[in-house]
Amino acid sequence: MKTIDMHCDTILRMMEDKENIGLYENDFSIDIKKLKKGNSLAQFFAMWVDLEKAVNSLEVCFEMIDKFYIELEKNANNISLATNYEDIIKNHKEGKVSAVLAIEEGGTIKGEIHNLRNFYRIGVRAITLTWNTANEIGYPNIKEDYRDKGLTSFGEEVVHEMNRLGMLIDVSHLSDKGFYDVSRLSSKPFIASHSNSRAMKNHSRNLTDDMIRVLSEKGGTMGICFERDFLGESKNARIEDIIRHIKHIKNIGGIDVIALGSDYDGSHPNCEIDNIGEIEKLGFALKDNKFSEDEIDKIFYKNALRVIKDVL
């Protein structure tokens, strides 16, 4: 089965690494060899910036994007940038994994719409509107008093401009009110790149049943996240907990809303699916739980590919 994973932090790990380990082979959860083993159609690479630590968030993001492109150039025979559906199909025919460039922190555009457009021009196709710090766009769900605060007027402008450009709006981390603002304002499907079910694990990073229904009605997807804190009470990220979330989400929003958003290299270790090369473990578990081949394909790549085609 093919795979599309809508979120990883591997470039951050590579930026932090002191031994200059590259993307082709490393000790992280994602590298090209593991992506090939996992039959990856496309991997979203998030450029994560911590607003509270970065002196200049825009510059830090540019440095990460430069690292991303350097690795693509070094490994051009195996992986290539994809900015739309057609790129993904073309790359697959050439035997290459597609790399989708994403940003995990809308604050990197620093309240300037021209920065958003310039990010688009250099290949960015998905932006998580907030991380865990309030920014010019809106508020994260990290604090209780943020939950009922929605998008700013600039945030509303960002939604409209991302729709116009053809960029994926990512509501993972966004406040509950912000989620509903996006659902009201966006004319195109949007995503929660790495979020699970709040009914299955009461964590603010997960989506409520009503949010899941709304996301499904809008034609969007939510990437099942392998972070243990969003799955259950175990110190390990267990496959049985991943399945439990998937079953519930299917019952609430239907099979078409479910995708993969591992959060590899940005989440706690000790996942039963240790890396993207072992993703077939989830496929086997879904089969054991009576999911059909078509349902598994939708979860693994078809739903994400549909949204990419609709938006990009």
Side-chain angles (χ1 to χ4, degrees):
M1 63 197 83
K2 302 181 186 72
T3 305
I4 294 179
D5 177 18
M6 296 198 301
H7 190 86
C8 79
D9 286 293
T10 308
I11 299 300
L12 172 69
R13 292 289 304 276
M14 294 176 65
M15 295 287 288
E16 294 173 340
D17 176 71
K18 304 302 181 183
E19 298 180 9
N20 198 30
I21 295 174
L23 187 59
Y24 182 74
E25 184 174 13
N26 55 53
D27 293 329
F28 307 145
S29 292
I30 287 182
D31 60 28
I32 290 169
K33 290 182 73 174
K34 297 182 187 84
L35 287 166
K36 293 274 192 176
K37 184 179 178 183
N39 201 18
S40 176
L41 190 62
Q43 176 67 53
F44 282 57
F45 288 91
M47 309 293 110
W48 172 70
V49 179
D50 187 340
L51 294 183
E52 294 184 347
K53 294 181 179 180
V55 175
N56 186 323
S57 59
L58 182 63
E59 287 299 318
V60 171
C61 194
F62 278 138
E63 289 177 17
M64 295 187 73
I65 291 172
D66 182 57
K67 179 68 171 177
F68 169 81
Y69 273 110
I70 287 171
E71 289 301 320
L72 293 193
E73 290 164 5
K74 283 166 50 179
N75 297 283
N77 291 333
N78 293 292
I79 191 168
S80 186
L81 181 73
T83 60
N84 53 42
Y85 171 84
E86 289 77 14
D87 286 347
I88 292 175
I89 301 305
K90 177 177 178 291
N91 291 338
H92 180 63
K93 288 179 178 178
E94 294 176 357
K96 298 178 183 180
V97 176
S98 285
V100 180
L101 179 55
I103 293 174
E104 188 180 19
E105 177 50 84
T108 55
I109 66 178
K110 304 186 79 170
E112 299 288 351
I113 207 71
H114 63 259
N115 285 331
L116 173 65
R117 287 193 284 265
N118 284 331
F119 274 137
Y120 177 85
R121 290 173 182 128
I122 60 174
V124 175
R125 289 298 181 269
I127 296 181
T128 314
L129 298 185
T130 67
W131 186 62
N132 286 342
T133 305
N135 61 30
E136 295 88 349
I137 295 171
Y139 299 84
N141 234 9
I142 194 169
K143 294 181 180 179
E144 187 69 30
D145 59 347
Y146 282 172
R147 187 163 291 184
D148 296 325
K149 293 185 177 182
L151 298 180
T152 64
S153 58
F154 177 71
E156 293 183 359
E157 183 183 2
V158 166
V159 168
H160 292 309
E161 187 65 3
M162 289 181 72
N163 280 171
R164 187 189 72 83
L165 291 169
M167 300 178 78
L168 286 164
I169 298 166
D170 182 3
V171 298
S172 285
H173 288 283
L174 189 62
S175 67
D176 286 3
K177 178 64 163 54
F179 172 96
Y180 286 109
D181 285 345
V182 170
S183 71
R184 172 176 54 86
L185 294 165
S186 181
S187 61
K188 295 183 179 181
F190 59 96
I191 65 171
S193 66
H194 55 306
S195 295
N196 297 332
S197 162
R198 201 178 297 179
M200 294 294 96
K201 175 61 190 285
N202 187 19
H203 193 291
S204 61
R205 280 279 289 99
N206 290 336
L207 303 187
T208 66
D209 285 357
D210 187 66
M211 290 176 178
I212 293 169
R213 292 188 192 98
V214 169
L215 183 63
S216 179
E217 289 167 1
K218 293 288 289 190
T221 57
M222 55 189 295
I224 299 300
C225 182
F226 300 165
E227 164 56 49
R228 69 183 191 195
D229 291 344
F230 308 156
L231 286 170
E233 305 307 320
S234 174
K235 292 183 179 180
N236 299 325
R238 303 183 304 178
I239 293 174
E240 64 184 271
D241 287 324
I242 296 172
I243 298 293
R244 184 167 55 89
H245 280 261
I246 290 175
K247 285 182 175 179
H248 181 79
I249 294 165
K250 177 187 173 183
N251 288 336
I252 297 300
I255 195 69
D256 292 338
V257 78
I258 311 170
L260 301 178
S262 68
D263 202 11
Y264 276 137
D265 297 324
S267 57
H268 285 103
N270 300 323
C271 178
E272 286 187 342
I273 309 169
D274 183 61
N275 60 68
I276 197 68
E278 297 182 359
I279 196 67
E280 66 178 5
K281 289 181 179 179
L282 179 58
F284 292 143
L286 287 166
K287 286 181 182 177
D288 290 343
N289 281 271
K290 311 305 180 186
F291 283 78
S292 69
E293 292 287 347
D294 184 57
E295 287 176 325
I296 295 170
D297 281 344
K298 284 186 173 184
I299 293 168
F300 267 59
Y301 79 97
K302 284 184 176 179
N303 290 338
L305 191 62
R306 182 197 74 241
V307 175
I308 288 168
K309 188 175 183 179
D310 287 347
V311 177
L312 306 190

